Amino acid sequence: MQKMKILIIEDAETVRNELKDFLTAYGYEVEAPDDFQHVLSYATKEDIHLILLDINLPVFDGYFICREIRKSSQVPIIIVTSRNNEMDELMSMNLGADDFVTKPYHTQILLARIDAVLKRAYKQPEALSLTVGELKLHLANGTISYKGGHQELTKNEFKILHYLMVKKGSIVSREELMEHLWSSDLFVDDNTLSVNVTRLRRKIESLGMENPIETRRGLGYILS
Amino acid sequence: MQKMKILIIEDAETVRNELKDFLTAYGYEVEAPDDFQHVLSYATKEDIHLILLDINLPVFDGYFICREIRKSSQVPIIIVTSRNNEMDELMSMNLGADDFVTKPYHTQILLARIDAVLKRAYKQPEALSLTVGELKLHLANGTISYKGGHQELTKNEFKILHYLMVKKGSIVSREELMEHLWSSDLFVDDNTLSVNVTRLRRKIESLGMENPIETRRGLGYILS
DNA sequence: CTGCAAATTTACCGCTCCTTTACATGCGAG
DNA sequence: CTCGCATGTAAAGGAGCGGTAAATTTGCAG
């Protein structure tokens, strides 16, 4: 399995660093930012595979953050809580969280939970690649292949194709894609998306496949 | 979502029956056999969607059963355990179980876990659609289908049909539709609506269906 | 039947949305 | 530093959506 990247959202610096060291030691890549303003932009990054979310945060409530993440991403979330009552458990489950851990926890249990959730989320034998027709997108190294040929994708091309593949069969509005590619506080011309789509189409066509990214004028793009 | 069938593997008859009644009340189909010799044949049945497995069984250990099931099936398994130590949690996770619940548990928590696991395992691409007669409007990709044929709709056509379908059976005035299609500050000729309705009718008829959009002269349109 | 308003239909074409090419910038590897 | 690649911007081109106008049809009232 590819190297998994975990995002830690936790306000206590000591806990954060301990966790980071611990998980790094066990072979995970870890992001542990200390600014909670921009935590959401971290969370929706492509390369985050799991989020460890402390529910007990200052400023934004962890519940709020969880919901916000779920609006735009299905990345697995494990909620860490010190509130040890059932309501929390229930609410956590309804928030779209994948699991939760109650403090204090044994580190080995945390590891087991993480493993389990990751396995669940990314286990499908072909979870390492998505397909449209005979076109394969390899998640591990960001390449596409078609009938023997292959091409490397840039970050943007990957994000676009990945998102469209996940939503295969549904129209994805340009707006939605824009939000997925660029944090909303960054102002990027709408045309830039078009350019990136063109570049992606070029690469796919260079493999001999006819363009699978359909444009629905005024609505968005759709992969079929 | 279809009706889900849960298999309970539990030795204590009272618990078994309580669980069965409880889950049945919440809309699940439940199998709760009392013979543990043949539990494995139950477990691998096609129509079992989830297994609730008590780890603390006589004769066969629950661990053994879990492993056996996993040899031949990927059906989701939730392990129920009263042993409240870490080893159990760890081992359960490594058995291929999808989740576990520690006794004593609150029934609402059990429900939440079951829901979560089922949702993960059987989430479908949700073919959300509205219908009139045999005509289907697919919300995800903005197409209509009728007896195997498909047609793509433009933005306006989609809006019109969608609105009429939502209000199926009642008359929708032209003014109401106009407001729904164009922001009121934009002045669009009344005739434009007629043209768009015509275009929509064309596409529906091209699928071999007779026009379902009835005009009530002086009142509006109605879908029947 | 006649007249008129409402709705349909056809044809046209402008304008928005999207594509595409070319160029500028900037960052990372060596 | 310098080269190369990724990526954003600018500008020109194109295609089809969809609005307009005019002709035609439908339906209702007197």
Side-chain angles (χ1 to χ4, degrees):
Chain A
M1 195 179 276
Q2 85 203 85
K3 191 151 184 174
M4 289 295 181
K5 195 165 189 174
I6 299 177
L7 172 67
I8 297 176
I9 305 182
E10 160 72 55
D11 59 325
E13 190 175 352
T14 52
V15 177
R16 205 164 58 224
N17 290 333
E18 272 177 28
L19 266 179
K20 178 168 183 173
D21 293 343
F22 172 69
L23 291 175
T24 304
Y26 273 88
Y28 294 107
E29 282 191 70
V30 180
E31 294 252 1
D34 54 1
D35 55 336
F36 293 99
Q37 275 68 22
H38 309 105
V39 96
L40 281 176
S41 59
Y42 273 102
T44 51
K45 273 187 184 169
E46 249 338 292
D47 61 343
I48 296 291
H49 298 105
L50 183 143
I51 295 175
L52 217 52
L53 171 64
D54 189 347
I55 210 68
N56 213 353
L57 295 177
V59 191
F60 291 134
D61 193 298
Y63 292 118
F64 171 76
I65 293 191
C66 190
R67 277 198 211 87
E68 283 301 307
I69 294 172
R70 269 289 168 277
K71 281 182 185 171
S72 60
S73 168
Q74 286 305 311
V75 61
I77 300 176
I78 295 181
I79 289 184
V80 180
T81 172
S82 55
R83 307 175 194 165
N84 196 10
N85 58 56
E86 293 166 2
M87 276 314 292
D88 270 70
E89 288 196 25
L90 278 176
M91 293 208 46
S92 302
M93 293 316 258
N94 292 334
L95 281 170
D98 292 73
D99 205 346
F100 59 92
V101 174
T102 308
K103 284 196 254 187
Y105 48 81
H106 193 292
T107 47
Q108 292 302 319
I109 288 186
L110 180 63
L111 259 194
R113 296 289 183 100
I114 289 176
D115 280 346
V117 169
L118 282 177
K119 204 166 73 181
R120 260 190 326 244
Y122 300 103
K123 75 169 179 217
Q124 310 92 311
E126 290 308 300
L128 297 181
S129 66
L130 296 171
T131 60
V132 189
E134 292 191 57
L135 180 71
K136 261 191 187 163
L137 173 66
H138 306 276
L139 272 44
N141 55 10
T143 63
I144 52 176
S145 62
Y146 176 78
K147 291 188 195 294
H150 60 89
Q151 270 282 346
E152 292 186 357
L153 297 187
T154 68
K155 198 174 81 185
N156 282 341
E157 291 157 2
F158 176 84
K159 280 189 180 180
I160 294 173
L161 184 57
H162 180 59
Y163 199 77
L164 290 176
M165 278 184 159
V166 168
K167 301 223 168 193
K168 180 163 58 176
S170 298
I171 294 177
V172 178
S173 72
R174 296 174 65 86
E175 212 179 16
E176 195 177 340
L177 266 175
M178 296 279 294
E179 281 174 23
H180 186 245
L181 282 183
W182 299 283
S183 59
S184 48
D185 53 349
L186 183 67
F187 291 101
V188 178
D189 195 300
D190 169 84
N191 175 42
T192 304
L193 176 61
S194 304
V195 176
N196 279 287
V197 169
T198 296
R199 286 170 178 155
L200 173 57
R201 282 173 170 156
R202 279 270 179 294
K203 284 194 181 172
I204 294 175
E205 286 161 355
S206 79
L207 295 174
M209 184 185 197
E210 70 168 344
N211 168 38
I213 303 175
E214 213 176 307
T215 339
R216 290 290 182 73
R217 193 188 176 79
L219 297 173
Y221 295 103
I222 183 172
L223 211 55
S224 49
Chain B
M1 194 180 274
Q2 85 204 85
K3 191 153 186 177
M4 289 296 180
K5 195 164 190 174
I6 300 177
L7 172 66
I8 299 176
I9 304 181
E10 159 73 54
D11 60 324
E13 189 174 352
T14 51
V15 177
R16 205 164 59 221
N17 290 334
E18 271 177 30
L19 266 179
K20 177 168 181 172
D21 293 344
F22 173 68
L23 292 175
T24 304
Y26 274 89
Y28 293 107
E29 281 191 69
V30 180
E31 294 253 2
D34 55 0
D35 55 337
F36 293 100
Q37 273 68 24
H38 311 106
V39 98
L40 281 177
S41 60
Y42 272 105
T44 51
K45 271 189 185 170
E46 272 312 312
D47 63 342
I48 296 291
H49 299 105
L50 183 143
I51 295 175
L52 218 52
L53 172 62
D54 190 346
I55 209 67
N56 212 353
L57 296 176
V59 191
F60 293 132
D61 193 299
Y63 293 119
F64 171 77
I65 293 191
C66 190
R67 278 199 210 88
E68 283 302 307
I69 293 172
R70 270 289 167 275
K71 283 182 185 172
S72 60
S73 167
Q74 286 303 311
V75 61
I77 300 177
I78 295 181
I79 287 183
V80 180
T81 171
S82 56
R83 307 177 194 165
N84 198 8
N85 59 55
E86 298 164 6
M87 278 314 293
D88 270 72
E89 285 197 8
L90 285 174
M91 295 212 39
S92 301
M93 284 319 206
N94 293 333
L95 282 170
D98 292 74
D99 207 344
F100 61 94
V101 174
T102 307
K103 284 197 248 185
Y105 49 81
H106 193 293
T107 47
Q108 293 300 322
I109 290 185
L110 181 64
L111 257 194
R113 298 287 183 101
I114 290 176
D115 280 346
V117 169
L118 281 177
K119 206 167 71 183
R120 264 197 312 258
Y122 298 103
K123 65 165 181 240
Q124 49 210 1
E126 62 180 324
L128 212 46
S129 63
L130 297 171
T131 60
V132 190
E134 292 192 56
L135 180 71
K136 267 192 185 160
L137 172 66
H138 305 276
L139 302 181
N141 58 12
T143 64
I144 52 175
S145 63
Y146 176 78
K147 291 188 193 292
H150 293 267
Q151 271 286 344
E152 293 177 4
L153 299 186
T154 68
K155 200 160 97 181
N156 281 346
E157 291 157 2
F158 178 85
K159 278 190 180 178
I160 294 173
L161 184 56
H162 180 57
Y163 198 78
L164 290 176
M165 278 185 159
V166 168
K167 301 225 166 192
K168 178 164 60 176
S170 53
I171 296 178
V172 177
S173 72
R174 296 173 67 87
E175 292 75 30
E176 197 177 340
L177 265 175
M178 297 279 293
E179 281 173 24
H180 185 244
L181 282 184
W182 298 282
S183 59
S184 47
D185 55 348
L186 184 67
F187 292 100
V188 178
D189 195 302
D190 167 84
N191 174 43
T192 304
L193 177 60
S194 303
V195 176
N196 278 286
V197 169
T198 295
R199 285 170 178 152
L200 174 56
R201 282 173 170 157
R202 277 276 142 64
K203 285 195 179 170
I204 294 175
E205 287 161 355
S206 80
L207 295 174
M209 185 187 196
E210 70 168 343
N211 169 37
I213 303 174
E214 210 176 309
T215 80
R216 292 290 174 77
R217 194 185 176 81
L219 298 174
Y221 296 103
I222 182 172
L223 213 53
S224 53

